[in-house]
Amino acid sequence: MTADPEVRTDSGAVRGSWDKGVAVFRGIPYALPPVGAHRFGHPVPPQSWDGVREARVFGPPSPQAGASDSEVNASWLTLNVWSPGLGAAGIPVMVWIHGGRYIEGHSANPHQNGATLAACGVVVVSLNYRVGAEGFARIAGAPNNRGLLDQIAALRWVQDNITAFGGSPHKVTVFGQSAGGGSVASLLTMPASAGLFTRAIAQSVPGTFFTERLAATVSDEIAGELGVQATMTDLQRCSPQALVVASERLLQRMPQFVDAWGPMALTPTPFSPIVDGATLPDAPWRALADGAANSIDLVVGHTRDEYSLFHPWHDDAVPDGLLTDTIQRIAPISCRPGDYRAAYPDSSVEQLYEIVNADWLFRMPCEHLAAAHHAGDGTARLYELTWSFNPDEGASHSLDMLLVFGTLTRDDITSQPSAHPEAADEYEQVSHSMRADWVDFATHGAPNWPSYEPSGTRTTRVYNADTTDRPYPEESSRRLWAHHRFDALDLSI
């Protein structure tokens, strides 16, 4: 019987377990619990321990809806390591940042199990970080973007400790999806993250970044729910769970602020990274275009049907006036409601409503990020996932994450009544293809498809049952958004 794996970190020894032939270490603290005097502050390195610390259980999530009181008072800032080869093996490292609208998510999600990915020849690291008001609210007296600062602290831990787990600190790829993709886009341009990773994969990057003014107004509303001011002193007197509840209440009321807060009031989250000129100097599109990360190779992309899971009108007809109002609120100023109809003449009102929301929230931010990196003399590669097994959802938001980690089962697919007969076999093919490309990129930095050329053919890797490299599939939308400039969202009035 193989002995449980043990590794010594800078803080002390940890004992893990085995999963599919991969050594797994769970719940390793990379910073002190951000409670008490450390709440709303910068992450602080963890304390050392004597003996061997058991690392068999995932750490608890940051405070969020569904987390118990015992969990929100525990150590939230932990990470996990899956390694196919311990010791000084110099294996490429992939650091995963989970999504969850900047208000939820955790590394214990079974669909983000790193064993299958690690077995392909990389060390996989995942982490919990502060979400919601604890991590992203604008709080007077506290640093902005605390959730991002946590991620940077975890990346520093990787630099200091990953060699003992078989990883190379000189071959670190950071990757994430949805809010995790937005985090990756942020990390590319944050001064504090310089030198901590060499490559980046940004999946389904949201187009929402806030100015300090907008973020402060949102925080004022949350604090108002609790009868306090949005200051570090006042909010430290409120429990983490009380902040979660207040944030959820605001989320339900957000549409009433659309005239003042603009289109962010129509999104499913009150939080986003804050462009403050310090922790996050600029919105990532502008920063990349100015060359902020031109030494870092980038893969960025999205799914075709990014908005299908968020569509509130799935079972009802979308009023024609709602489509017109939505286009006027979130599409480029130069885009008229008739332009979307002309670009997609065969689409229904419901389909157009989904397309314009997908474009604004995820698809165009990703395409523009690739173009911006190219403009700043960086190398970017663009992808789109068009494969799906559930016709009701299509190539939905987060499906690319499931494919990369390979955590769906054949039963997950065949149990869908509408899944086509070849879906399970196709899943294995597409999953293998995406995972192989991600590992190849992390290992060599040059995946086997051409870089994105905004003024050329715009070659894109399109993942389907037969993966191909071809011109960007969403050309109709790209043209409508060609002159738009993504930037930090501000108050409208």
Side-chain angles (χ1 to χ4, degrees):
M1 183 175 180
T2 304
D4 289 334
E6 291 188 12
V7 167
R8 175 163 293 279
T9 73
D10 284 354
S11 299
V14 291
R15 180 185 295 119
S17 56
W18 296 97
D19 184 2
K20 301 176 183 178
V22 171
V24 186
F25 302 83
R26 302 176 177 92
I28 303 173
Y30 66 86
L32 288 177
V35 298
H38 299 301
R39 193 176 177 202
F40 305 125
H42 288 271
V44 177
Q47 292 179 339
S48 299
W49 58 83
D50 297 324
V52 180
R53 183 188 183 105
E54 296 295 333
R56 304 170 188 267
V57 179
F58 289 108
S62 172
Q64 55 192 269
S68 69
D69 287 339
S70 61
E71 288 174 325
V72 300
N73 287 315
S75 176
W76 317 325
L77 304 185
T78 62
L79 53 75
N80 322 290
V81 182
W82 289 262
S83 174
L86 301 177
I91 301 169
V93 181
M94 299 187 71
V95 179
W96 170 252
I97 300 175
H98 70 73
R101 299 179 293 157
Y102 302 108
I103 61 174
E104 61 186 1
H106 54 86
S107 62
N109 184 333
H111 283 304
Q112 298 170 28
N113 184 308
T116 298
L117 185 58
C120 295
V122 291
V123 174
V124 177
V125 178
S126 67
L127 59 126
N128 289 339
Y129 57 94
R130 282 175 282 185
V131 297
E134 300 288 333
F136 289 94
R138 173 74 181 101
I139 299 174
N144 290 328
N145 301 310
R146 295 171 297 281
L148 299 177
L149 297 178
D150 292 345
Q151 296 165 19
I152 291 172
L155 286 167
R156 288 200 184 102
W157 184 96
V158 168
Q159 288 293 311
D160 294 339
N161 294 279
I162 208 63
T163 299
F165 293 85
S168 169
H170 308 297
K171 289 185 179 180
V172 176
T173 298
V174 62
F175 70 128
Q177 184 265 345
S178 194
S183 296
V184 170
S186 301
L187 293 171
L188 281 167
T189 68
M190 295 177 71
S193 66
L196 297 181
F197 58 94
T198 52
R199 299 175 185 119
I201 304 173
Q203 304 174 215
S204 299
V205 176
T208 53
F209 285 70
F210 293 173
T211 64
E212 278 195 295
R213 191 170 71 146
L214 175 57
T217 302
V218 172
S219 294
D220 286 343
E221 286 293 330
I222 294 171
E225 290 272 355
L226 300 171
V228 299
Q229 300 294 313
T231 66
M232 192 169 179
T233 301
D234 275 15
L235 291 178
Q236 280 183 331
R237 295 199 297 265
C238 303
S239 73
Q241 198 59 35
L243 268 180
V244 169
V245 172
S247 300
E248 290 291 321
R249 287 176 179 165
L250 174 63
L251 181 58
Q252 301 305 314
R253 296 191 295 116
M254 271 173 47
Q256 75 185 54
F257 295 101
V258 66
D259 290 336
W261 294 2
M264 68 76 54
L266 304 176
T267 70
T269 179
F271 302 112
S272 285
I274 302 170
V275 177
D276 60 5
T279 59
L280 183 59
D282 212 336
W285 302 273
R286 189 192 300 268
L288 291 185
D290 289 341
N294 57 17
S295 63
I296 297 176
D297 288 341
L298 171 68
V299 168
V300 59
H302 56 78
T303 68
R304 181 188 59 206
D305 306 304
E306 286 279 8
Y307 197 67
S308 63
L309 299 181
F310 305 104
H311 200 325
W313 294 83
H314 260 310
D315 300 322
D316 300 292
V318 174
D320 199 71
L322 175 61
L323 173 62
T324 298
D325 184 60
T326 300
I327 293 174
Q328 289 175 336
R329 287 192 183 278
I330 67 178
I333 295 175
S334 60
C335 181
R336 298 164 298 180
D339 293 340
Y340 258 94
R341 300 178 197 275
Y344 295 94
D346 299 325
S347 296
S348 66
V349 173
E350 288 74 25
Q351 290 169 328
L352 287 172
Y353 179 80
E354 185 172 321
I355 289 169
V356 68
N357 276 284
D359 283 346
W360 178 67
L361 270 176
F362 299 109
R363 301 199 313 181
M364 295 304 104
C366 288
E367 190 278 334
H368 280 229
L369 198 73
H373 199 44
H374 179 272
D377 293 327
T379 300
R381 285 170 175 83
L382 186 67
Y383 78 89
E384 178 173 352
L385 174 66
T386 61
W387 179 84
S388 71
F389 67 92
N390 184 345
D392 295 332
E393 298 176 356
S396 62
H397 188 70
S398 299
L399 182 56
D400 55 343
M401 175 197 73
L402 300 176
L403 289 160
V404 169
F405 281 98
T407 47
L408 287 179
T409 67
R410 294 182 73 89
D411 286 345
D412 290 331
I413 296 171
T414 57
S415 63
Q416 291 287 337
S418 57
H420 55 277
E422 297 81 20
D425 290 335
E426 289 179 358
Y427 161 75
E428 292 183 358
Q429 295 170 9
V430 181
S431 178
H432 173 78
S433 180
M434 292 195 78
R435 192 160 50 254
D437 282 344
W438 266 226
V439 170
D440 183 52
F441 177 67
T443 304
H444 304 294
N448 59 350
W449 80 88
S451 60
Y452 190 64
E453 300 284 345
S455 60
T457 59
R458 302 187 183 90
T459 300
T460 305
R461 174 140 294 186
V462 179
Y463 291 100
N464 208 323
D466 295 316
T467 296
T468 58
D469 298 335
R470 58 190 179 92
Y472 183 52
E474 311 309 330
E475 179 64 14
S476 295
S477 291
R478 189 203 66 78
R479 289 181 179 179
L480 293 175
W481 290 77
H483 301 294
H484 180 76
R485 295 294 176 266
F486 283 95
D487 206 343
L489 301 174
D490 199 2
L491 293 174
S492 296
I493 56 175

